[in-house]
Amino acid sequence: MSRPSDVYLFGTCLVDLFMPDAGMDAITLLETLGIRVHFPQAQSCCGQPAYTSGHPREARDVARSQLDLFPGDWPIVVPSGSCGGMLKHHWPTLFAGEPEQERVVAIAARVVEFSDFLLNHLDWQPVDTGPATRVAVHTSCSARREMNVHTTSWALVDRLANVTRVVHDHESECCGFGGTFSIKHPDIAGAMVTDKARALEDSGAIEFVTADAGCLMNINGKLALDKATPLRGKHLASFLLERTGGKS
Amino acid sequence: MNSQPVTLYPSRQFKDNARAALADTELRGSLRSAMDFLMAKRSSAFPDTDELDALRTLGEAIRQRCLSRLPELLEQLEERLTANGVTVHWAETPAQANAIIHGLVAARNGTLMVKGKSMVSEEIELNHHLEAHGIQALESDMGEYIVQMAGEKPTHIIMPAIHKTKAQIARLFHEKLPDTPYTEDVDALIRIGRNALREAYLQADVGLSGVNFAVAETGTLCLVENEGNGRMCTTVPDLHIAITGIEKVVEKLEDVVPLYSLLTRSAIGQPITTYFNMISGPRRPGEKDGPREVHLVLLDNGRSQAYADQQLRKTLQCIRCGACMNHCPVYSRIGGHAYGTTYPGPIGEIISPHLLGLENTRDLPTASSLCGACGEVCPVRIPIPEMLMRLREESQRPAGEAVDHPLRGQGAAASTTEALAWRAWRRVYASPGTYRLFGWSATRLRALTPPTQAGWTQNHVPMTPAPKTLHELVREREARRKES
Amino acid sequence: MSARESILAKLRAAPKTALAHPDIAAHYQRFPFPDDPVGKLRHWARMMRSVKTEILWTDATHWPEALAEWADHRRPASLLLSDTPHGHQAAAALATRPTVPALRYFDSELDGWKEQLFHDVEAAFTRVRCGIAATGTLVLWPDAQEPRTMSLVPPIHIALFDTTTLHGDFHSAMHQENWAAGMPTNAVLVSGPSKTADIQLTLAYGAHGPRDLVVLAMLPDGISPAMLEEEGA
């Protein structure tokens, strides 16, 4: 794949409001790799929360407001597997039969998940400058099953010379976020995130990383409530930037 | 035998049921180890991923082709079965199906029915119906026999008693069966069940079975099993009644080959089951055993509603392997009873609304994180998450809104509060100006973040906005760059 | 309107889609079971043994003797036979032995002696139509002479299997023998004695059908038992 000179960053609404540093770290990292990053200021959300809650009309209206933001023929990098899945796979369905269908399909084809972009579009060979550590990787279900990029985060972490990647119990299992699922079924979602948090703690990892903002907010929010553990997760972008000396 | 209490629509209590199940540590442990075992078994049954992919694609194509010709195939099936000497009955509702079956048993003054595994008979609550008319319906699948004895319902469509430990079963047999010493030896427990049930096959007036595949081409009813109880129920009593959903028909005999392989490998990781029965009629002249009468009851019960919609029709591709349950992070934590439906887990979430109406299954379409594990393993590639999202849409759609294929219970989960919340969300997120203002105020007012947030703070610290949005951070950086 | 008419009307009113019947044979050509007679037999035997089936290698001449030897060793109290040439051959071979099980032919309708079949018959001997290598399977095609309960009710089922009828997979068995042209009242694929894992996923044999399955596997000239039992087989 040819190396693009420019990309768009679709930051996602969760990153925007709750973890903007992860978004900035993604931008910084891409820029240090010589890529010009364009962040359309009119962006908001891919529409996924409404779409998965049974409100496609509202989702479509929000998605429609994003369609003019990517006029250049550059990749649209998304630092979140589930939002990437929404853009890439669900937007074409959401706009099936709508006047914008063709444009949407063209936009969807340009969407690349962040870790996929680093690994497969840039073939980035990071130079690890950090101390030795053990890291667990949680891959979001959308990244795993919709985007088929569950191995890209592993591969990037594995390219870091001083980092040992540890596997946690039931690694492929969902953390229980699922958007409004965690609000509508807090008992079940709670049992899921409890098990995920415990598996990560028991893995012996010093920290964990994920390339999905929803999962990160879910698992960190749970760990913070428990107080007993120092374990916290980082967005993959922040972790990679930190390991390669790009973060002050 | 214990009669099970009939609870109308236990599916309405899904959230309470789930909470209770989550608190049951013994159940959680049984489920976790059972599901881990079944997932590992399935995985080892498909060592060649190319073969698995091709077989799933083939299975999907067969099921879709058969559904595309469903009315013609049902008529062909009826014609062939009739020619083979089988009587075919049609039932739109559980009540009609029960009346047909009761009529057949009553016509020969039957008092004992032995039953092979049939989820459709659970769906119509056949046992209760017959018991109310003085006919005993005895489950003969070991798992079903156990749950019936315990006065429960199956918790899994393939492994009905998967929630029970052998100690619980040992206690149950000891208490309920006369002269049965307490033993946790599984071979001994199975022997106890075997001996009791062998007497029942001998005495029974009628045997009832389900159907895995009904072949239109030859008029053949296929039955998949390991235990031999299916063969007993369909061979020993003089009357055999089979019951199945209308979607189970396949066009050609060869269709069953890939579907059967997908079924056993997906369900329990077995290359094949001990028995694959192909029944094409009652005892023929000169034959010395087998039932003298065979009947097939074809049940609709809401399936035609799913059929009417091309997207939801995919629900009917299901071959009832249960792999979606085994791989579901929700099912594996709450088990089958919590759903309060005959079919639990992901397949239950997408079929039950057609059987019972969305008004009685309101919380099922949302009881999924949409993680996609179900769709990933489905042997006939039913896009279960897509079906769930569609059902969410229909349950949120205002009851009065006219659509091409209205579902029973349309709008069951719609609430003014939620509708208004999404409309407000749209106003903010579809307008860059409003969104910017929203982001600015949310970050500036972050100290005022409510300490309890519906649902969320049960398991998490409150969601608190960052001091500045990413939009702002990017603008600030661009401004700094212009200055320098 | 009858339930039938009403259901069919609803289905007919639904949107139509035209889909071709997929090419099932092509799939099995793409993933064929290797057509090597010895390899097929080895695999078949390994699969059957993995589900507790006892295989006695023999041939078309010596099987009655093999059956009699098995009976000497296993000592079934009673044996049910079919009123067929192979049933009579079995009886003749057993009659030469010092201890002969009580023999009974399935020569009348079951209705008159159901109870005896359930309580008094320990083993039954039937023929097999063909076999399937991939899954370790025997195909039974019961008929008027050899009724279906023979392979179901007695605790031991002894099956006489001509191994030259071993197919690679289920599809080739069905296809090559053209089953669709005429199905019997009841045909059944058997892969081992009956079993269950319904109690805590613990495997137990002898659920409702036979506890033991014994196969007298007749080998053709040119294939010896030794070839099938070599190292790594």
Side-chain angles (χ1 to χ4, degrees):
Chain A
M1 236 162 273
S2 68
R3 188 186 175 90
S5 59
D6 297 69
V7 299
Y8 289 109
L9 188 92
F10 187 77
T12 82
C13 62
L14 285 186
V15 168
D16 190 33
L17 200 56
F18 296 104
M19 48 190 81
D21 291 343
M24 285 309 289
D25 290 342
I27 294 173
T28 308
L29 185 59
L30 291 169
E31 285 179 347
T32 59
L33 300 176
I35 311 278
R36 273 192 300 275
V37 180
H38 303 262
F39 184 91
Q41 279 288 331
Q43 64 177 280
S44 60
C45 171
C46 61
Q48 181 177 215
Y51 183 62
T52 56
S53 301
H55 294 273
R57 276 172 285 203
E58 283 78 1
R60 200 179 297 116
D61 287 346
V62 168
R64 191 178 280 119
S65 73
Q66 310 293 298
L67 299 180
D68 291 333
L69 307 182
F70 315 102
D73 190 26
W74 305 317
I76 303 163
V77 176
V78 186
S80 198
S82 62
C83 311
M86 179 69 193
L87 293 166
K88 202 166 186 65
H89 298 291
H90 297 297
W91 271 20
T93 312
L94 189 59
F95 284 91
E98 300 284 323
E100 300 91 343
Q101 185 174 5
E102 209 172 310
R103 269 173 74 205
V104 165
V105 169
I107 290 173
R110 284 193 279 136
V111 170
V112 193
E113 189 269 340
F114 176 72
S115 65
D116 188 21
F117 185 74
L118 287 182
L119 188 80
N120 295 321
H121 291 241
L122 302 184
D123 188 21
W124 181 42
Q125 302 289 344
V127 179
D128 189 3
T129 57
T133 188
R134 284 191 312 280
V135 167
V137 178
H138 169 73
T139 311
S140 79
C141 300
S142 314
R144 179 180 296 277
R145 303 195 178 93
E146 284 185 356
M147 302 291 277
N148 205 20
V149 295
H150 59 288
T151 54
T152 50
S153 294
W154 298 344
L156 287 169
V157 170
D158 289 345
R159 286 183 178 188
L160 298 168
N162 303 326
V163 176
T164 307
R165 180 167 62 86
V166 297
V167 174
H168 62 280
D169 188 38
H170 289 90
E171 184 163 306
S172 65
E173 200 174 72
C174 177
C175 69
F177 179 58
T180 49
F181 167 71
S182 53
I183 314 277
K184 289 190 175 175
H185 294 277
D187 294 308
I188 302 169
M192 287 164 71
V193 74
T194 300
D195 289 347
K196 179 57 76 175
R198 192 175 306 136
L200 288 165
E201 286 168 52
D202 292 348
S203 72
I206 312 285
E207 56 188 328
F208 76 91
V209 296
T210 177
D212 198 294
C215 307
L216 187 57
M217 201 166 73
N218 184 41
I219 303 171
N220 273 349
K222 168 66 184 168
L223 290 167
L225 185 74
D226 287 351
K227 294 191 178 80
T229 170
L231 182 72
R232 287 295 180 278
K234 277 196 182 96
H235 194 280
L236 180 73
S238 304
F239 179 72
L240 292 173
L241 186 65
E242 190 183 289
R243 295 300 303 186
T244 53
K247 188 153 181 157
S248 45
Chain B
M1 226 25 62
N2 263 8
S3 67
Q4 302 166 355
V6 185
T7 316
L8 276 177
Y9 302 121
S11 50
R12 287 181 184 164
Q13 276 85 53
F14 174 74
K15 287 186 178 181
D16 292 337
N17 300 344
R19 191 174 306 120
L22 289 164
D24 183 341
T25 48
E26 202 173 23
L27 175 70
R28 293 281 297 275
S30 301
L31 282 169
R32 180 77 273 172
S33 59
M35 297 306 118
D36 285 349
F37 176 82
L38 290 168
M39 285 193 284
K41 287 278 282 179
R42 174 192 173 274
S43 171
S44 66
F46 291 110
D48 176 353
T49 52
D50 286 345
E51 191 257 356
L52 168 61
D53 281 349
L55 196 60
R56 289 175 72 214
T57 303
L58 182 62
E60 177 190 30
I62 293 169
R63 292 299 298 136
Q64 290 187 344
R65 156 77 179 182
C66 294
L67 289 171
S68 77
R69 301 194 57 224
L70 187 58
E72 295 81 19
L73 292 183
L74 284 168
E75 284 182 299
Q76 190 191 349
L77 176 72
E78 179 183 48
E79 185 198 316
R80 299 313 307 252
L81 282 171
T82 308
N84 292 350
V86 177
T87 312
V88 178
H89 309 259
W90 303 67
E92 277 190 284
T93 62
Q96 287 174 6
N98 282 324
I100 291 165
I101 295 171
H102 174 240
L104 291 169
V105 182
R108 49 175 68 211
N109 299 315
T111 55
L112 175 62
M113 169 189 279
V114 281
K115 293 181 68 198
K117 201 163 160 30
S118 158
M119 292 309 292
V120 176
S121 78
E122 299 278 349
E123 187 182 322
I124 65 172
E125 304 259 11
L126 176 66
N127 297 5
H128 293 299
H129 184 85
L130 292 180
E131 273 166 37
H133 289 86
I135 298 163
Q136 189 194 346
L138 182 64
E139 297 289 349
S140 66
D141 171 272
M142 286 294 179
E144 295 269 358
Y145 177 67
I146 291 162
V147 294
Q148 184 181 41
M149 195 183 293
E152 296 176 9
K153 290 180 154 238
T155 188
H156 189 282
I157 63 169
I158 301 288
M159 300 277 178
I162 199 134
H163 58 297
K164 289 212 165 318
T165 62
K166 60 185 171 190
Q168 289 170 331
I169 295 164
R171 228 162 20 239
L172 184 69
F173 278 17
H174 178 59
E175 283 164 15
K176 302 268 174 161
L177 293 172
D179 307 322
T180 304
Y182 181 94
T183 172
E184 289 186 17
D185 181 85
V186 171
D187 282 316
L189 289 168
I190 294 297
R191 243 187 334 268
I192 293 165
R194 173 187 172 99
N195 293 339
L197 287 161
R198 283 200 149 219
E199 288 309 306
Y201 301 130
L202 201 47
Q203 304 304 329
D205 310 287
V206 48
L208 184 124
S209 76
V211 175
N212 291 94
F213 315 108
V215 184
E217 179 182 30
T218 53
T220 300
L221 307 177
C222 301
L223 208 55
V224 176
E225 57 149 346
N226 279 311
E227 295 188 358
N229 65 311
R231 292 185 70 194
M232 288 285 187
C233 293
T234 59
T235 302
V236 179
D238 216 29
L239 169 64
H240 168 210
I241 304 170
I243 179 165
T244 192
I246 51 172
E247 80 282 19
K248 286 287 180 67
V249 62
V250 297
E251 185 171 1
K252 297 185 177 184
L253 188 61
E254 67 167 353
D255 289 346
V256 306
V257 176
L259 295 176
Y260 176 40
S261 179
L262 282 165
L263 174 59
T264 65
R265 291 156 86 190
S266 303
I268 34 180
Q270 277 181 220
I272 195 165
T273 50
T274 304
Y275 300 117
F276 184 68
N277 273 288
M278 290 165 278
I279 298 164
S280 303
R283 185 188 302 200
R284 292 176 192 170
E287 291 182 344
K288 300 188 187 74
D289 65 6
R292 286 197 169 75
E293 271 182 53
V294 178
H295 296 258
L296 174 69
V297 181
L298 291 166
L299 177 70
D300 179 350
N301 194 25
R303 288 163 174 83
S304 54
Q305 173 181 285
Y307 189 78
D309 183 283
Q310 275 184 297
Q311 185 185 32
L312 297 172
R313 185 181 293 179
K314 293 176 184 170
T315 308
L316 303 179
Q317 286 166 216
C318 178
I319 56 171
R320 303 282 189 268
C321 72
C324 59
M325 296 165 204
N326 304 343
H327 290 74
C328 177
V330 175
Y331 177 91
S332 64
R333 285 177 176 76
I334 64 175
H337 289 156
Y339 294 81
T341 50
T342 302
Y343 307 98
I347 184 61
E349 290 165 5
I350 64 171
I351 188 76
S352 306
H354 300 292
L355 272 43
L356 302 167
L358 281 164
E359 72 275 27
N360 297 310
T361 52
R362 224 172 60 108
D363 292 322
L364 297 189
T366 56
S368 162
S369 65
L370 301 177
C371 79
C374 48
E376 185 179 47
V377 296
C378 176
V380 289
R381 298 190 189 274
I382 302 172
I384 298 176
E386 188 190 298
M387 305 283 107
L388 287 168
M389 284 195 280
R390 174 66 195 284
L391 291 169
R392 289 178 186 186
E393 183 183 350
E394 298 309 323
S395 64
Q396 292 287 339
R397 188 190 298 285
E401 191 182 312
V403 288
D404 283 352
H405 305 292
L407 300 193
R408 182 181 150 198
Q410 173 180 315
S415 79
T416 318
T417 323
E418 186 171 339
L420 285 175
W422 286 114
R423 256 172 251 158
W425 173 85
R426 168 170 62 185
R427 217 167 10 255
V428 172
Y429 282 76
S431 149
T434 322
Y435 180 68
R436 185 191 279 212
L437 184 65
F438 163 75
W440 186 85
S441 1
T443 47
R444 293 321 180 274
L445 301 174
R446 62 196 294 264
L448 302 179
T449 302
T452 51
Q453 301 166 344
W456 181 258
T457 41
Q458 183 178 326
N459 304 303
H460 307 86
V461 294
M463 284 190 264
T464 309
K468 287 176 180 175
T469 64
L470 177 60
H471 284 70
E472 257 185 295
L473 295 178
V474 171
R475 283 201 300 276
E476 285 178 6
R477 192 162 75 156
E478 277 165 10
R480 280 199 304 274
R481 284 183 179 170
K482 275 185 193 139
E483 281 166 23
S484 58
Chain C
M1 198 162 35
S2 70
R4 179 184 188 280
E5 297 314 313
S6 172
I7 293 169
L8 287 172
K10 280 189 265 183
L11 298 180
R12 287 206 191 92
K16 295 269 177 292
T17 44
L19 296 167
H21 194 274
D23 188 346
I24 295 173
H27 174 86
Y28 289 96
Q29 277 154 20
R30 185 178 159 201
F31 300 97
F33 194 87
D35 192 24
D36 149 43
V38 172
K40 272 198 303 193
L41 269 169
R42 281 182 178 170
H43 186 83
W44 171 82
R46 189 166 63 236
M47 295 298 285
M48 291 232 74
R49 283 171 176 158
S50 74
V51 286
K52 198 184 169 253
T53 301
E54 186 180 348
I55 296 170
L56 304 173
W57 300 117
T58 178
D59 59 44
T61 325
H62 296 95
W63 70 259
E65 211 172 304
L67 174 65
E69 272 169 30
W70 172 84
D72 279 351
H73 177 70
R74 182 64 174 69
R75 297 281 175 94
S78 52
L79 179 64
L80 180 63
L81 299 166
S82 57
D83 190 3
T84 56
H86 58 273
H88 293 283
Q89 263 179 286
L94 290 164
T96 64
R97 301 288 165 154
T99 320
V100 185
L103 299 180
R104 164 157 201 163
Y105 287 100
F106 204 130
D107 51 9
S108 61
E109 286 200 309
L110 178 62
D111 311 69
W113 58 287
K114 232 184 221 184
E115 203 127 341
Q116 288 99 299
L117 176 66
F118 271 80
H119 294 142
D120 304 336
V121 178
E122 191 176 355
F125 175 61
T126 77
R127 213 176 24 173
V128 166
R129 177 189 175 103
C130 64
I132 298 169
T135 48
T137 300
L138 302 173
V139 179
L140 302 187
W141 214 259
D143 55 21
Q145 277 68 47
E146 220 158 64
R148 53 209 265 196
T149 42
M150 289 186 78
S151 61
L152 174 63
V153 178
I156 306 171
H157 175 211
I158 308 145
L160 180 62
F161 172 42
D162 173 359
T163 60
T164 61
T165 66
L166 184 63
H167 296 274
D169 56 38
F170 187 12
H171 188 263
S172 58
M174 182 184 280
H175 188 71
Q176 285 172 24
E177 299 186 2
N178 196 19
W179 292 5
M183 292 294 283
T185 305
N186 175 229
V188 59
L189 271 53
V190 175
S191 306
S194 69
K195 64 179 185 289
T196 182
D198 273 358
I199 299 182
Q200 224 179 305
L201 291 166
T202 308
L203 185 60
Y205 285 94
H208 299 277
R211 286 196 187 106
D212 293 294
L213 174 62
V214 181
V215 186
L216 293 172
M218 298 183 285
L219 298 173
D221 287 346
I223 297 182
S224 68
M227 291 162 72
L228 301 171
E229 305 292 352
E230 276 165 17
E231 202 70 21

PDB file of all heavy atoms in Angstrom, chain A residues 3 8 13 19-21 30 53 106 111 136 147 167 179 182 202 233:
ATOM      1  N   ARG A   3       2.244   4.939   0.702  1.00  0.00           N
ATOM      2  CA  ARG A   3       2.254   5.738   1.919  1.00  0.00           C
ATOM      3  C   ARG A   3       1.603   7.083   1.622  1.00  0.00           C
ATOM      4  O   ARG A   3       2.086   7.849   0.782  1.00  0.00           O
ATOM      5  CB  ARG A   3       3.706   5.914   2.335  1.00  0.00           C
ATOM      6  CG  ARG A   3       3.900   6.567   3.673  1.00  0.00           C
ATOM      7  CD  ARG A   3       5.395   6.818   3.893  1.00  0.00           C
ATOM      8  NE  ARG A   3       5.595   7.548   5.113  1.00  0.00           N
ATOM      9  CZ  ARG A   3       5.779   6.963   6.285  1.00  0.00           C
ATOM     10  NH1 ARG A   3       5.807   5.654   6.373  1.00  0.00           N
ATOM     11  NH2 ARG A   3       5.931   7.690   7.373  1.00  0.00           N
ATOM     12  N   TYR A   8      -7.084  12.275   7.127  1.00  0.00           N
ATOM     13  CA  TYR A   8      -8.049  12.905   8.027  1.00  0.00           C
ATOM     14  C   TYR A   8      -8.047  12.114   9.327  1.00  0.00           C
ATOM     15  O   TYR A   8      -7.868  10.893   9.309  1.00  0.00           O
ATOM     16  CB  TYR A   8      -9.457  12.833   7.441  1.00  0.00           C
ATOM     17  CG  TYR A   8      -9.673  13.731   6.253  1.00  0.00           C
ATOM     18  CD1 TYR A   8      -9.819  13.195   4.975  1.00  0.00           C
ATOM     19  CD2 TYR A   8      -9.750  15.110   6.409  1.00  0.00           C
ATOM     20  CE1 TYR A   8     -10.029  14.010   3.880  1.00  0.00           C
ATOM     21  CE2 TYR A   8      -9.956  15.938   5.313  1.00  0.00           C
ATOM     22  CZ  TYR A   8     -10.099  15.381   4.055  1.00  0.00           C
ATOM     23  OH  TYR A   8     -10.309  16.198   2.979  1.00  0.00           O
ATOM     24  N   CYS A  13     -16.600  10.891  19.196  1.00  0.00           N
ATOM     25  CA  CYS A  13     -17.183  11.747  20.234  1.00  0.00           C
ATOM     26  C   CYS A  13     -16.672  11.403  21.629  1.00  0.00           C
ATOM     27  O   CYS A  13     -16.520  12.276  22.479  1.00  0.00           O
ATOM     28  CB  CYS A  13     -18.704  11.690  20.176  1.00  0.00           C
ATOM     29  SG  CYS A  13     -19.401  10.068  20.479  1.00  0.00           S
ATOM     30  N   MET A  19     -11.477  11.691  26.465  1.00  0.00           N
ATOM     31  CA  MET A  19     -10.045  11.384  26.456  1.00  0.00           C
ATOM     32  C   MET A  19      -9.345  12.057  25.268  1.00  0.00           C
ATOM     33  O   MET A  19      -8.739  11.381  24.429  1.00  0.00           O
ATOM     34  CB  MET A  19      -9.788   9.881  26.477  1.00  0.00           C
ATOM     35  CG  MET A  19     -10.602   9.082  25.478  1.00  0.00           C
ATOM     36  SD  MET A  19     -10.458   7.299  25.766  1.00  0.00           S
ATOM     37  CE  MET A  19     -11.636   7.076  27.105  1.00  0.00           C
ATOM     38  N   PRO A  20      -9.447  13.402  25.218  1.00  0.00           N
ATOM     39  CA  PRO A  20      -8.866  14.131  24.079  1.00  0.00           C
ATOM     40  C   PRO A  20      -7.358  13.913  23.958  1.00  0.00           C
ATOM     41  O   PRO A  20      -6.817  13.998  22.854  1.00  0.00           O
ATOM     42  CB  PRO A  20      -9.195  15.598  24.383  1.00  0.00           C
ATOM     43  CG  PRO A  20      -9.450  15.640  25.861  1.00  0.00           C
ATOM     44  CD  PRO A  20     -10.043  14.314  26.213  1.00  0.00           C
ATOM     45  N   ASP A  21      -6.688  13.592  25.073  1.00  0.00           N
ATOM     46  CA  ASP A  21      -5.241  13.381  25.000  1.00  0.00           C
ATOM     47  C   ASP A  21      -4.907  12.222  24.060  1.00  0.00           C
ATOM     48  O   ASP A  21      -3.909  12.268  23.342  1.00  0.00           O
ATOM     49  CB  ASP A  21      -4.669  13.080  26.394  1.00  0.00           C
ATOM     50  CG  ASP A  21      -4.743  14.321  27.278  1.00  0.00           C
ATOM     51  OD1 ASP A  21      -4.910  15.430  26.718  1.00  0.00           O
ATOM     52  OD2 ASP A  21      -4.674  14.178  28.510  1.00  0.00           O
ATOM     53  N   LEU A  30       1.248  10.386  14.286  1.00  0.00           N
ATOM     54  CA  LEU A  30       1.176  10.371  12.820  1.00  0.00           C
ATOM     55  C   LEU A  30       2.064  11.466  12.235  1.00  0.00           C
ATOM     56  O   LEU A  30       2.744  11.260  11.228  1.00  0.00           O
ATOM     57  CB  LEU A  30      -0.277  10.538  12.361  1.00  0.00           C
ATOM     58  CG  LEU A  30      -1.197   9.351  12.650  1.00  0.00           C
ATOM     59  CD1 LEU A  30      -2.654   9.720  12.410  1.00  0.00           C
ATOM     60  CD2 LEU A  30      -0.798   8.144  11.792  1.00  0.00           C
ATOM     61  N   SER A  53     -29.083   1.698  19.120  1.00  0.00           N
ATOM     62  CA  SER A  53     -30.181   1.742  20.088  1.00  0.00           C
ATOM     63  C   SER A  53     -31.541   1.685  19.418  1.00  0.00           C
ATOM     64  O   SER A  53     -32.564   1.856  20.083  1.00  0.00           O
ATOM     65  CB  SER A  53     -30.085   3.016  20.933  1.00  0.00           C
ATOM     66  OG  SER A  53     -28.851   3.056  21.603  1.00  0.00           O
ATOM     67  N   ALA A 106     -18.192   5.595  -0.920  1.00  0.00           N
ATOM     68  CA  ALA A 106     -16.836   6.047  -1.243  1.00  0.00           C
ATOM     69  C   ALA A 106     -16.087   6.479   0.017  1.00  0.00           C
ATOM     70  O   ALA A 106     -14.894   6.196   0.182  1.00  0.00           O
ATOM     71  CB  ALA A 106     -16.905   7.197  -2.240  1.00  0.00           C
ATOM     72  N   VAL A 111     -12.006   4.577   5.073  1.00  0.00           N
ATOM     73  CA  VAL A 111     -11.851   4.540   6.526  1.00  0.00           C
ATOM     74  C   VAL A 111     -10.847   3.457   6.938  1.00  0.00           C
ATOM     75  O   VAL A 111     -10.910   2.325   6.463  1.00  0.00           O
ATOM     76  CB  VAL A 111     -13.227   4.273   7.192  1.00  0.00           C
ATOM     77  CG1 VAL A 111     -13.060   3.995   8.676  1.00  0.00           C
ATOM     78  CG2 VAL A 111     -14.159   5.454   6.956  1.00  0.00           C
ATOM     79  N   ALA A 136      -0.898  -5.960  28.643  1.00  0.00           N
ATOM     80  CA  ALA A 136      -1.986  -6.767  28.073  1.00  0.00           C
ATOM     81  C   ALA A 136      -2.712  -5.920  27.037  1.00  0.00           C
ATOM     82  O   ALA A 136      -2.748  -4.693  27.148  1.00  0.00           O
ATOM     83  CB  ALA A 136      -2.954  -7.192  29.171  1.00  0.00           C
ATOM     84  N   MET A 147     -13.952  -5.222  11.780  1.00  0.00           N
ATOM     85  CA  MET A 147     -12.838  -4.630  11.034  1.00  0.00           C
ATOM     86  C   MET A 147     -11.767  -5.669  10.756  1.00  0.00           C
ATOM     87  O   MET A 147     -10.855  -5.422   9.985  1.00  0.00           O
ATOM     88  CB  MET A 147     -12.236  -3.465  11.825  1.00  0.00           C
ATOM     89  CG  MET A 147     -13.234  -2.376  12.159  1.00  0.00           C
ATOM     90  SD  MET A 147     -13.759  -1.473  10.698  1.00  0.00           S
ATOM     91  CE  MET A 147     -12.419  -0.295  10.540  1.00  0.00           C
ATOM     92  N   VAL A 167      -1.022 -12.415  27.610  1.00  0.00           N
ATOM     93  CA  VAL A 167      -2.383 -12.760  27.198  1.00  0.00           C
ATOM     94  C   VAL A 167      -3.245 -12.878  28.452  1.00  0.00           C
ATOM     95  O   VAL A 167      -2.792 -13.423  29.452  1.00  0.00           O
ATOM     96  CB  VAL A 167      -2.357 -14.097  26.424  1.00  0.00           C
ATOM     97  CG1 VAL A 167      -3.768 -14.558  26.096  1.00  0.00           C
ATOM     98  CG2 VAL A 167      -1.541 -13.952  25.146  1.00  0.00           C
ATOM     99  N   GLY A 179     -22.097   0.292  24.226  1.00  0.00           N
ATOM    100  CA  GLY A 179     -22.888   1.519  24.132  1.00  0.00           C
ATOM    101  C   GLY A 179     -23.974   1.541  25.184  1.00  0.00           C
ATOM    102  O   GLY A 179     -23.699   1.363  26.374  1.00  0.00           O
ATOM    103  N   SER A 182     -24.602  -1.007  28.369  1.00  0.00           N
ATOM    104  CA  SER A 182     -24.090  -0.897  29.740  1.00  0.00           C
ATOM    105  C   SER A 182     -24.971  -0.007  30.618  1.00  0.00           C
ATOM    106  O   SER A 182     -24.870  -0.038  31.837  1.00  0.00           O
ATOM    107  CB  SER A 182     -22.649  -0.385  29.733  1.00  0.00           C
ATOM    108  OG  SER A 182     -22.562   0.808  28.995  1.00  0.00           O
ATOM    109  N   ASP A 202      -5.239 -10.274  36.691  1.00  0.00           N
ATOM    110  CA  ASP A 202      -4.599 -11.579  36.912  1.00  0.00           C
ATOM    111  C   ASP A 202      -3.552 -11.908  35.844  1.00  0.00           C
ATOM    112  O   ASP A 202      -2.792 -12.856  35.998  1.00  0.00           O
ATOM    113  CB  ASP A 202      -5.654 -12.700  36.922  1.00  0.00           C
ATOM    114  CG  ASP A 202      -6.563 -12.590  38.134  1.00  0.00           C
ATOM    115  OD1 ASP A 202      -6.223 -11.815  39.053  1.00  0.00           O
ATOM    116  OD2 ASP A 202      -7.612 -13.269  38.167  1.00  0.00           O
ATOM    117  N   GLY A 233      -5.720   1.331  32.017  1.00  0.00           N
ATOM    118  CA  GLY A 233      -5.490   1.165  30.589  1.00  0.00           C
ATOM    119  C   GLY A 233      -5.142   2.486  29.937  1.00  0.00           C
ATOM    120  O   GLY A 233      -5.457   3.550  30.443  1.00  0.00           O
TER     121      GLY A 233
END
